[in-house]
Amino acid sequence: MMGLMVGKETETATTATARTTAPGRSPATATRAWATRLVVVGIVLSAVNLRPAITSLGALLEEVRDGLGMSGSVAGLLTSVPPLCFAVFGVTAPRLARRFGPAAVVCAGMAAVTAGLLIRPYAGSTAGFLAGSALALMGIAVSNVLMPVIVKRWFPDRVGSMTGLYSMALAAGTSVAAAVTVPLTGALGGSWQTGLAVWAGLAAVAVLPWIPLVRDRDRDRGPAPAPATEAEAPARAERQEPALRITRSRTAWALAVFFGLQATAAYITMGWMAQIFRDAGVSASTAGLLLAVTMAMSVPLAFVIPRVATRLPHQGPIVIALGVCGLAGYAGLYLAPAGGAWAWAVLLGISNCAFPLALTMVGMRARTGAGVAQLSAFAQSTGYLISIPGPLLVGVLYQHSGGWGLPIALMVGLMIPQMAVGVLAGRDRVVEDEAAATA
Protein backbone atom coordinates (compact mmCIF):
# COMPACT_ATOMS: atom_id res chain seq x y z
CA MET A 1 0.00 0.00 0.00
CA MET A 2 2.83 2.37 0.85
CA GLY A 3 4.41 1.80 -2.54
CA LEU A 4 1.11 2.44 -4.29
CA MET A 5 0.65 5.74 -2.45
CA VAL A 6 4.18 6.86 -3.26
CA GLY A 7 3.59 5.94 -6.88
CA LYS A 8 0.41 7.98 -7.03
CA GLU A 9 2.10 10.98 -5.42
CA THR A 10 5.01 10.76 -7.87
CA GLU A 11 2.67 10.31 -10.83
CA THR A 12 0.68 13.37 -9.80
CA ALA A 13 3.80 15.48 -9.38
CA THR A 14 5.21 14.24 -12.72
CA THR A 15 1.97 14.95 -14.58
CA ALA A 16 1.73 18.44 -13.13
CA THR A 17 5.33 19.12 -14.07
CA ALA A 18 4.83 17.90 -17.63
CA ARG A 19 1.82 20.16 -18.12
CA THR A 20 3.59 23.28 -16.95
CA THR A 21 7.10 22.78 -18.31
CA ALA A 22 6.91 21.02 -21.68
CA PRO A 23 8.51 21.69 -24.06
CA GLY A 24 10.19 24.89 -22.86
CA ARG A 25 9.96 24.41 -19.14
CA SER A 26 11.86 26.74 -16.87
CA PRO A 27 14.76 25.48 -14.77
CA ALA A 28 13.01 26.72 -11.62
CA THR A 29 9.95 24.55 -12.31
CA ALA A 30 12.05 21.49 -13.01
CA THR A 31 14.01 22.09 -9.81
CA ARG A 32 10.80 22.41 -7.81
CA ALA A 33 9.50 19.09 -9.19
CA TRP A 34 12.73 17.36 -8.22
CA ALA A 35 12.61 18.95 -4.76
CA THR A 36 9.05 17.69 -4.31
CA ARG A 37 10.19 14.14 -4.98
CA LEU A 38 12.99 14.59 -2.47
CA VAL A 39 10.49 15.78 0.15
CA VAL A 40 8.33 12.67 -0.38
CA VAL A 41 11.39 10.45 0.12
CA GLY A 42 12.50 12.52 3.11
CA ILE A 43 9.11 12.33 4.78
CA VAL A 44 8.96 8.54 4.41
CA LEU A 45 12.53 7.92 5.61
CA SER A 46 12.17 10.34 8.52
CA ALA A 47 8.89 8.78 9.63
CA VAL A 48 10.46 5.32 9.55
CA ASN A 49 13.12 6.58 12.00
CA LEU A 50 10.79 8.19 14.56
CA ARG A 51 10.35 5.08 16.78
CA PRO A 52 13.14 2.47 16.28
CA ALA A 53 15.23 4.19 18.97
CA ILE A 54 12.47 3.25 21.43
CA THR A 55 11.22 -0.15 20.26
CA SER A 56 14.69 -1.56 19.54
CA LEU A 57 15.62 -0.77 23.14
CA GLY A 58 12.45 -2.43 24.42
CA ALA A 59 13.39 -5.64 22.61
CA LEU A 60 16.88 -5.70 24.22
CA LEU A 61 16.08 -4.07 27.56
CA GLU A 62 17.11 -7.11 29.60
CA GLU A 63 20.51 -7.29 27.88
CA VAL A 64 21.06 -3.55 28.30
CA ARG A 65 20.18 -3.76 32.00
CA ASP A 66 22.60 -6.64 32.54
CA GLY A 67 25.35 -5.03 30.48
CA LEU A 68 25.19 -1.69 32.28
CA GLY A 69 24.16 -2.98 35.70
CA MET A 70 20.87 -1.08 35.74
CA SER A 71 18.33 -1.54 38.47
CA GLY A 72 14.65 -1.87 37.64
CA SER A 73 14.06 1.72 38.76
CA VAL A 74 16.77 3.06 36.46
CA ALA A 75 15.39 1.00 33.60
CA GLY A 76 12.00 2.54 34.33
CA LEU A 77 13.63 5.97 34.16
CA LEU A 78 15.08 5.00 30.79
CA THR A 79 11.63 4.16 29.45
CA SER A 80 10.39 7.55 30.71
CA VAL A 81 13.00 9.48 28.73
CA PRO A 82 11.08 9.48 25.40
CA PRO A 83 8.00 11.39 26.60
CA LEU A 84 10.22 13.75 28.63
CA CYS A 85 12.28 14.61 25.56
CA PHE A 86 9.17 14.97 23.42
CA ALA A 87 7.68 17.42 25.93
CA VAL A 88 10.88 19.44 26.46
CA PHE A 89 12.37 19.54 22.98
CA GLY A 90 9.18 19.37 20.94
CA VAL A 91 8.10 22.84 22.04
CA THR A 92 11.31 24.31 20.56
CA ALA A 93 10.58 23.01 17.07
CA PRO A 94 8.31 25.86 15.87
CA ARG A 95 10.82 28.50 16.96
CA LEU A 96 13.70 26.66 15.28
CA ALA A 97 11.64 26.24 12.12
CA ARG A 98 10.88 29.95 11.93
CA ARG A 99 14.58 30.76 12.18
CA PHE A 100 16.16 28.05 10.03
CA GLY A 101 13.28 26.53 8.07
CA PRO A 102 11.51 23.19 8.76
CA ALA A 103 13.60 21.22 6.26
CA ALA A 104 16.86 22.34 7.87
CA VAL A 105 15.59 21.47 11.35
CA VAL A 106 14.42 18.01 10.26
CA CYS A 107 17.79 17.44 8.58
CA ALA A 108 19.55 18.36 11.84
CA GLY A 109 17.07 16.21 13.75
CA MET A 110 17.85 13.13 11.69
CA ALA A 111 21.57 13.83 12.16
CA ALA A 112 21.00 13.98 15.94
CA VAL A 113 19.14 10.67 15.80
CA THR A 114 22.07 9.12 13.93
CA ALA A 115 24.64 10.42 16.40
CA GLY A 116 22.61 9.45 19.47
CA LEU A 117 21.95 5.90 18.27
CA LEU A 118 25.64 5.46 17.44
CA ILE A 119 26.91 6.89 20.73
CA ARG A 120 24.61 5.37 23.34
CA PRO A 121 25.55 1.65 23.04
CA TYR A 122 29.25 2.39 23.40
CA ALA A 123 29.07 5.11 26.07
CA GLY A 124 30.13 2.56 28.69
CA SER A 125 27.91 3.78 31.52
CA THR A 126 24.28 4.28 32.39
CA ALA A 127 24.69 8.07 32.35
CA GLY A 128 26.30 7.97 28.92
CA PHE A 129 23.57 5.66 27.63
CA LEU A 130 20.91 8.06 28.89
CA ALA A 131 22.71 11.03 27.29
CA GLY A 132 22.97 9.28 23.93
CA SER A 133 19.31 8.31 24.11
CA ALA A 134 18.35 11.91 24.93
CA LEU A 135 20.29 13.17 21.89
CA ALA A 136 18.49 10.76 19.59
CA LEU A 137 15.12 11.53 21.15
CA MET A 138 15.75 15.28 20.81
CA GLY A 139 16.09 14.78 17.06
CA ILE A 140 12.97 12.65 17.01
CA ALA A 141 11.01 15.26 19.00
CA VAL A 142 11.65 18.18 16.65
CA SER A 143 11.17 16.03 13.54
CA ASN A 144 7.94 14.60 14.91
CA VAL A 145 6.49 18.07 15.44
CA LEU A 146 7.58 19.42 12.05
CA MET A 147 6.49 16.53 9.83
CA PRO A 148 2.86 17.76 9.67
CA VAL A 149 4.13 21.30 8.96
CA ILE A 150 6.17 20.09 5.99
CA VAL A 151 3.27 18.03 4.68
CA LYS A 152 0.93 21.03 4.90
CA ARG A 153 3.33 23.43 3.16
CA TRP A 154 4.60 21.18 0.38
CA PHE A 155 1.36 19.29 -0.29
CA PRO A 156 -1.51 21.59 0.72
CA ASP A 157 -3.93 19.80 -1.65
CA ARG A 158 -2.84 16.29 -0.62
CA VAL A 159 -2.63 16.53 3.14
CA GLY A 160 -4.75 13.42 3.69
CA SER A 161 -2.81 11.07 1.44
CA MET A 162 0.59 12.34 2.56
CA THR A 163 -0.41 12.12 6.23
CA GLY A 164 -1.54 8.56 5.59
CA LEU A 165 1.79 7.77 3.95
CA TYR A 166 3.61 9.34 6.88
CA SER A 167 1.54 7.38 9.43
CA MET A 168 2.14 4.10 7.62
CA ALA A 169 5.89 4.70 7.48
CA LEU A 170 5.98 5.56 11.18
CA ALA A 171 4.06 2.42 12.14
CA ALA A 172 6.21 0.29 9.82
CA GLY A 173 9.44 1.57 11.37
CA THR A 174 8.06 0.97 14.86
CA SER A 175 6.99 -2.62 14.22
CA VAL A 176 9.98 -3.65 12.09
CA ALA A 177 12.46 -2.44 14.73
CA ALA A 178 10.62 -4.42 17.39
CA ALA A 179 10.51 -7.56 15.24
CA VAL A 180 14.02 -7.74 13.82
CA THR A 181 16.24 -6.25 16.54
CA VAL A 182 16.72 -9.54 18.42
CA PRO A 183 17.38 -11.77 15.38
CA LEU A 184 19.52 -9.07 13.82
CA THR A 185 21.56 -8.87 17.02
CA GLY A 186 22.13 -12.62 16.88
CA ALA A 187 23.15 -12.48 13.23
CA LEU A 188 25.68 -9.72 13.99
CA GLY A 189 27.42 -11.67 16.73
CA GLY A 190 25.07 -11.42 19.70
CA SER A 191 26.29 -8.08 21.09
CA TRP A 192 23.47 -5.83 22.26
CA GLN A 193 25.67 -2.81 21.47
CA THR A 194 25.80 -3.79 17.81
CA GLY A 195 22.10 -4.65 17.79
CA LEU A 196 21.22 -1.12 18.94
CA ALA A 197 23.88 0.75 16.94
CA VAL A 198 22.83 -0.76 13.61
CA TRP A 199 19.74 1.49 13.57
CA ALA A 200 22.03 4.51 13.27
CA GLY A 201 22.67 3.45 9.67
CA LEU A 202 18.97 3.74 8.80
CA ALA A 203 18.82 7.17 10.45
CA ALA A 204 21.87 8.31 8.47
CA VAL A 205 20.07 7.46 5.23
CA ALA A 206 17.19 9.71 6.32
CA VAL A 207 19.55 12.70 6.51
CA LEU A 208 20.42 12.59 2.81
CA PRO A 209 17.13 13.74 1.17
CA TRP A 210 17.00 16.86 3.35
CA ILE A 211 20.51 18.11 2.59
CA PRO A 212 19.60 19.68 -0.81
CA LEU A 213 16.53 21.27 0.84
CA VAL A 214 18.32 22.96 3.74
CA ARG A 215 18.59 26.28 1.92
CA ASP A 216 15.10 26.12 0.41
CA ARG A 217 13.69 28.66 2.83
CA ASP A 218 11.04 30.17 0.56
CA ARG A 219 8.92 27.05 0.58
CA ASP A 220 9.51 26.58 4.28
CA ARG A 221 8.17 30.03 5.03
CA GLY A 222 5.17 29.41 2.81
CA PRO A 223 3.65 31.71 0.19
CA ALA A 224 3.29 35.41 0.81
CA PRO A 225 -0.13 36.26 2.24
CA ALA A 226 -2.68 37.32 -0.36
CA PRO A 227 -5.19 40.10 0.26
CA ALA A 228 -7.93 38.83 2.53
CA THR A 229 -11.26 37.99 0.94
CA GLU A 230 -14.51 38.43 2.79
CA ALA A 231 -14.48 34.76 3.78
CA GLU A 232 -10.85 34.92 4.91
CA ALA A 233 -11.17 38.13 6.87
CA PRO A 234 -12.27 36.55 10.18
CA ALA A 235 -9.37 34.07 10.10
CA ARG A 236 -6.91 36.83 9.19
CA ALA A 237 -8.27 38.97 12.02
CA GLU A 238 -8.01 36.01 14.39
CA ARG A 239 -4.30 35.72 13.69
CA GLN A 240 -3.87 39.35 14.67
CA GLU A 241 -5.79 38.97 17.93
CA PRO A 242 -4.28 37.59 21.14
CA ALA A 243 -4.36 33.82 21.30
CA LEU A 244 -7.37 32.32 23.01
CA ARG A 245 -6.87 31.24 26.60
CA ILE A 246 -6.89 27.54 25.97
CA THR A 247 -6.58 26.66 29.65
CA ARG A 248 -10.12 27.96 30.22
CA SER A 249 -11.55 25.15 28.11
CA ARG A 250 -12.62 21.97 29.87
CA THR A 251 -12.48 20.10 26.58
CA ALA A 252 -8.86 21.18 26.08
CA TRP A 253 -7.94 19.82 29.50
CA ALA A 254 -9.84 16.59 28.90
CA LEU A 255 -8.08 16.12 25.57
CA ALA A 256 -4.66 16.86 27.14
CA VAL A 257 -5.24 14.30 29.90
CA PHE A 258 -6.54 11.76 27.37
CA PHE A 259 -3.46 12.33 25.21
CA GLY A 260 -1.20 11.93 28.24
CA LEU A 261 -2.81 8.71 29.47
CA GLN A 262 -2.81 7.07 26.05
CA ALA A 263 0.85 8.08 25.66
CA THR A 264 1.55 6.54 29.08
CA ALA A 265 0.03 3.25 27.95
CA ALA A 266 1.93 3.36 24.66
CA TYR A 267 5.34 3.97 26.26
CA ILE A 268 4.75 1.34 28.93
CA THR A 269 3.91 -1.08 26.13
CA MET A 270 6.94 -0.18 24.03
CA GLY A 271 9.29 -0.25 27.00
CA TRP A 272 8.04 -3.21 29.04
CA MET A 273 5.73 -5.53 27.10
CA ALA A 274 8.54 -7.60 25.61
CA GLN A 275 10.00 -8.04 29.10
CA ILE A 276 6.63 -9.20 30.46
CA PHE A 277 6.50 -11.93 27.84
CA ARG A 278 10.12 -12.92 28.40
CA ASP A 279 9.58 -13.26 32.14
CA ALA A 280 6.61 -15.55 31.32
CA GLY A 281 8.93 -17.91 29.43
CA VAL A 282 8.55 -16.55 25.91
CA SER A 283 11.79 -16.45 23.92
CA ALA A 284 13.44 -13.09 23.23
CA SER A 285 12.84 -13.29 19.48
CA THR A 286 9.17 -14.21 19.92
CA ALA A 287 8.71 -11.42 22.46
CA GLY A 288 10.09 -8.99 19.89
CA LEU A 289 7.64 -10.32 17.31
CA LEU A 290 4.77 -9.89 19.76
CA LEU A 291 5.76 -6.28 20.34
CA ALA A 292 5.97 -5.83 16.55
CA VAL A 293 2.42 -7.17 16.18
CA THR A 294 1.20 -4.67 18.77
CA MET A 295 2.88 -1.79 16.96
CA ALA A 296 1.77 -2.98 13.50
CA MET A 297 -1.92 -2.88 14.45
CA SER A 298 -1.80 0.89 14.02
CA VAL A 299 -0.99 0.58 10.30
CA PRO A 300 -4.52 -0.26 9.09
CA LEU A 301 -6.39 1.25 12.04
CA ALA A 302 -4.69 4.65 11.62
CA PHE A 303 -6.74 4.99 8.43
CA VAL A 304 -10.00 3.50 9.70
CA ILE A 305 -10.37 5.17 13.10
CA PRO A 306 -10.01 8.84 11.99
CA ARG A 307 -12.51 8.33 9.16
CA VAL A 308 -15.06 6.78 11.49
CA ALA A 309 -14.43 9.41 14.16
CA THR A 310 -15.09 12.35 11.83
CA ARG A 311 -18.47 10.89 10.88
CA LEU A 312 -19.67 10.65 14.48
CA PRO A 313 -20.95 13.62 16.51
CA HIS A 314 -19.46 12.06 19.64
CA GLN A 315 -16.25 10.00 19.69
CA GLY A 316 -16.99 8.49 23.11
CA PRO A 317 -18.02 5.07 21.73
CA ILE A 318 -14.65 4.68 19.99
CA VAL A 319 -12.86 5.66 23.20
CA ILE A 320 -14.80 3.03 25.14
CA ALA A 321 -14.16 0.32 22.52
CA LEU A 322 -10.41 0.96 22.53
CA GLY A 323 -10.35 1.04 26.33
CA VAL A 324 -12.18 -2.28 26.62
CA CYS A 325 -9.59 -3.86 24.30
CA GLY A 326 -6.86 -2.52 26.55
CA LEU A 327 -8.47 -3.86 29.71
CA ALA A 328 -8.90 -7.28 28.09
CA GLY A 329 -5.25 -7.27 27.00
CA TYR A 330 -4.03 -6.38 30.50
CA ALA A 331 -6.23 -9.09 32.04
CA GLY A 332 -4.68 -11.59 29.64
CA LEU A 333 -1.16 -10.49 30.55
CA TYR A 334 -1.96 -11.11 34.21
CA LEU A 335 -3.83 -14.42 33.90
CA ALA A 336 -2.05 -16.19 31.00
CA PRO A 337 0.78 -14.06 29.58
CA ALA A 338 2.35 -16.89 27.56
CA GLY A 339 -0.73 -18.97 26.76
CA GLY A 340 -2.62 -16.22 24.91
CA ALA A 341 0.33 -14.00 24.05
CA TRP A 342 -0.67 -13.32 20.45
CA ALA A 343 -4.24 -12.39 21.42
CA TRP A 344 -3.01 -10.00 24.11
CA ALA A 345 -0.58 -8.40 21.65
CA VAL A 346 -3.40 -7.76 19.17
CA LEU A 347 -5.75 -6.37 21.82
CA LEU A 348 -3.11 -3.99 23.19
CA GLY A 349 -2.25 -2.93 19.65
CA ILE A 350 -5.88 -1.98 19.06
CA SER A 351 -5.98 -0.12 22.37
CA ASN A 352 -2.86 1.85 21.46
CA CYS A 353 -4.71 3.27 18.44
CA ALA A 354 -6.05 5.89 20.82
CA PHE A 355 -3.16 7.98 19.45
CA PRO A 356 -4.63 8.63 15.96
CA LEU A 357 -8.02 9.14 17.63
CA ALA A 358 -6.52 11.83 19.88
CA LEU A 359 -4.98 13.61 16.89
CA THR A 360 -8.30 13.45 15.06
CA MET A 361 -10.16 14.95 18.01
CA VAL A 362 -7.64 17.79 18.16
CA GLY A 363 -8.75 18.82 14.68
CA MET A 364 -12.43 18.47 15.55
CA ARG A 365 -12.49 20.30 18.87
CA ALA A 366 -11.43 23.72 17.50
CA ARG A 367 -13.24 25.88 14.98
CA THR A 368 -10.31 27.72 13.39
CA GLY A 369 -6.86 26.80 12.12
CA ALA A 370 -5.20 28.90 14.81
CA GLY A 371 -7.35 27.19 17.43
CA VAL A 372 -6.31 23.75 16.17
CA ALA A 373 -2.64 24.73 16.32
CA GLN A 374 -2.96 26.06 19.86
CA LEU A 375 -5.01 23.10 21.04
CA SER A 376 -2.52 20.67 19.48
CA ALA A 377 0.43 22.35 21.19
CA PHE A 378 -1.35 22.42 24.55
CA ALA A 379 -2.68 18.86 24.40
CA GLN A 380 0.58 17.31 23.25
CA SER A 381 2.98 19.22 25.49
CA THR A 382 0.77 18.74 28.57
CA GLY A 383 0.04 15.15 27.61
CA TYR A 384 3.68 14.15 27.25
CA LEU A 385 4.44 15.69 30.63
CA ILE A 386 1.62 13.64 32.16
CA SER A 387 3.00 10.46 30.56
CA ILE A 388 6.50 10.74 32.07
CA PRO A 389 5.93 9.02 35.46
CA GLY A 390 4.09 5.96 34.09
CA PRO A 391 6.97 3.87 32.70
CA LEU A 392 9.13 4.84 35.69
CA LEU A 393 6.46 3.65 38.14
CA VAL A 394 6.21 0.36 36.29
CA GLY A 395 9.94 -0.17 36.74
CA VAL A 396 9.80 0.69 40.45
CA LEU A 397 6.81 -1.59 41.09
CA TYR A 398 8.42 -4.41 39.11
CA GLN A 399 11.66 -4.18 41.09
CA HIS A 400 10.07 -3.98 44.53
CA SER A 401 7.32 -6.54 44.01
CA GLY A 402 9.37 -9.03 42.03
CA GLY A 403 6.56 -9.66 39.56
CA TRP A 404 4.12 -8.07 37.13
CA GLY A 405 0.96 -8.11 39.25
CA LEU A 406 1.29 -4.57 40.61
CA PRO A 407 2.55 -3.02 37.32
CA ILE A 408 -0.39 -4.53 35.42
CA ALA A 409 -2.76 -3.28 38.12
CA LEU A 410 -1.31 0.20 37.53
CA MET A 411 -1.95 -0.13 33.80
CA VAL A 412 -5.56 -1.11 34.46
CA GLY A 413 -5.94 1.74 36.92
CA LEU A 414 -4.75 4.25 34.31
CA MET A 415 -7.05 2.89 31.60
CA ILE A 416 -10.21 3.72 33.55
CA PRO A 417 -9.59 7.52 33.74
CA GLN A 418 -8.34 7.42 30.14
CA MET A 419 -11.76 6.18 29.06
CA ALA A 420 -13.53 8.76 31.23
CA VAL A 421 -11.63 11.82 29.98
CA GLY A 422 -11.75 10.46 26.43
CA VAL A 423 -15.54 10.48 26.57
CA LEU A 424 -15.45 14.09 27.82
CA ALA A 425 -13.00 15.09 25.08
CA GLY A 426 -15.18 13.44 22.45
CA ARG A 427 -18.22 15.65 23.07
CA ASP A 428 -19.39 17.79 20.16
CA ARG A 429 -18.08 21.22 21.22
CA VAL A 430 -15.20 23.54 20.41
CA VAL A 431 -12.61 25.11 22.68
CA GLU A 432 -13.17 28.65 21.38
CA ASP A 433 -16.74 28.65 22.70
CA GLU A 434 -15.72 27.26 26.09
CA ALA A 435 -12.86 29.72 26.49
CA ALA A 436 -15.14 32.64 25.60
CA ALA A 437 -17.89 31.43 27.96
CA THR A 438 -15.53 31.39 30.95
CA ALA A 439 -13.75 34.67 30.09
Side-chain angles (χ1 to χ4, degrees):
M1 183 179 292
M2 186 182 299
L4 177 60
M5 295 182 68
V6 173
K8 288 183 177 179
E9 299 293 348
T10 305
E11 179 182 356
T12 302
T14 303
T15 303
T17 302
R19 289 175 180 172
T20 57
T21 62
R25 62 182 181 180
S26 67
T29 303
T31 300
R32 179 59 60 190
W34 175 246
T36 300
R37 296 186 183 96
L38 275 180
V39 172
V40 173
V41 174
I43 288 173
V44 171
L45 289 177
S46 297
V48 167
N49 282 280
L50 292 180
R51 294 298 181 268
I54 303 170
T55 53
S56 63
L57 176 59
L60 293 174
L61 185 59
E62 183 175 321
E63 288 77 6
V64 174
R65 286 179 58 193
D66 293 341
L68 295 177
M70 288 185 187
S71 65
S73 299
V74 174
L77 175 62
L78 185 61
T79 58
S80 295
V81 169
L84 174 63
C85 289
F86 290 170
V88 172
F89 297 118
V91 296
T92 67
R95 183 179 302 176
L96 292 172
R98 286 193 297 269
R99 181 171 181 180
F100 302 105
V105 177
V106 172
C107 183
M110 289 296 104
V113 174
T114 304
L117 292 181
L118 193 59
I119 291 171
R120 72 176 184 176
Y122 303 107
S125 66
T126 299
F129 192 93
L130 287 170
S133 297
L135 177 60
L137 293 166
M138 177 180 66
I140 292 172
V142 296
S143 301
N144 199 36
V145 170
L146 293 179
M147 281 291 104
V149 175
I150 290 174
V151 167
K152 179 67 175 178
R153 293 187 176 182
W154 280 83
F155 309 97
D157 56 340
R158 288 173 282 168
V159 171
S161 61
M162 290 304 300
T163 301
L165 179 65
Y166 158 75
S167 300
M168 287 180 62
L170 191 152
T174 304
S175 56
V176 167
V180 307
T181 294
V182 171
L184 188 61
T185 300
L188 295 174
S191 169
W192 64 265
Q193 289 96 334
T194 305
L196 291 181
V198 70
W199 296 104
L202 183 62
V205 174
V207 176
L208 302 179
W210 299 107
I211 294 176
L213 302 167
V214 167
R215 300 184 65 181
D216 191 4
R217 300 287 299 279
D218 292 336
R219 172 73 69 158
D220 288 337
R221 292 192 182 106
T229 64
E230 182 177 351
E232 294 170 339
R236 194 67 61 83
E238 172 200 353
R239 287 194 292 269
Q240 296 173 355
E241 293 176 357
L244 66 91
R245 297 189 178 182
I246 197 75
T247 55
R248 292 181 173 178
S249 167
R250 294 181 179 179
T251 297
W253 279 106
L255 190 52
V257 175
F258 177 68
F259 192 96
L261 292 176
Q262 66 80 28
T264 300
Y267 285 109
I268 289 174
T269 299
M270 284 188 282
W272 289 106
M273 196 180 81
Q275 189 64 50
I276 294 175
F277 286 128
R278 292 180 68 172
D279 286 352
V282 177
S283 67
S285 58
T286 302
L289 286 174
L290 289 165
L291 179 58
V293 168
T294 299
M295 299 298 104
M297 290 303 299
S298 62
V299 176
L301 293 180
F303 287 95
V304 176
I305 289 177
R307 292 184 179 185
V308 175
T310 55
R311 296 174 182 176
L312 296 177
H314 194 307
Q315 288 72 49
I318 304 178
V319 172
I320 297 297
L322 297 178
V324 169
C325 288
L327 292 175
Y330 293 142
L333 286 180
Y334 179 76
L335 297 173
W342 295 101
W344 318 142
V346 170
L347 286 170
L348 292 174
I350 295 173
S351 178
N352 281 346
C353 289
F355 175 69
L357 176 62
L359 293 182
T360 303
M361 288 197 291
V362 166
M364 299 178 67
R365 297 286 87 87
R367 180 179 292 110
T368 64
V372 170
Q374 192 170 349
L375 176 60
S376 177
F378 174 74
Q380 293 200 44
S381 60
T382 305
Y384 279 127
L385 287 173
I386 291 172
S387 70
I388 292 171
L392 175 60
L393 281 174
V394 168
V396 172
L397 291 174
Y398 173 58
Q399 179 180 1
H400 286 84
S401 67
W404 288 106
L406 286 178
I408 292 174
L410 172 65
M411 300 175 203
V412 172
L414 293 176
M415 184 59 69
I416 302 301
Q418 176 181 322
M419 296 165 68
V421 295
V423 170
L424 293 176
R427 295 176 299 175
D428 187 13
R429 54 191 64 190
V430 292
V431 295
E432 289 92 345
D433 291 348
E434 290 184 338
T438 57

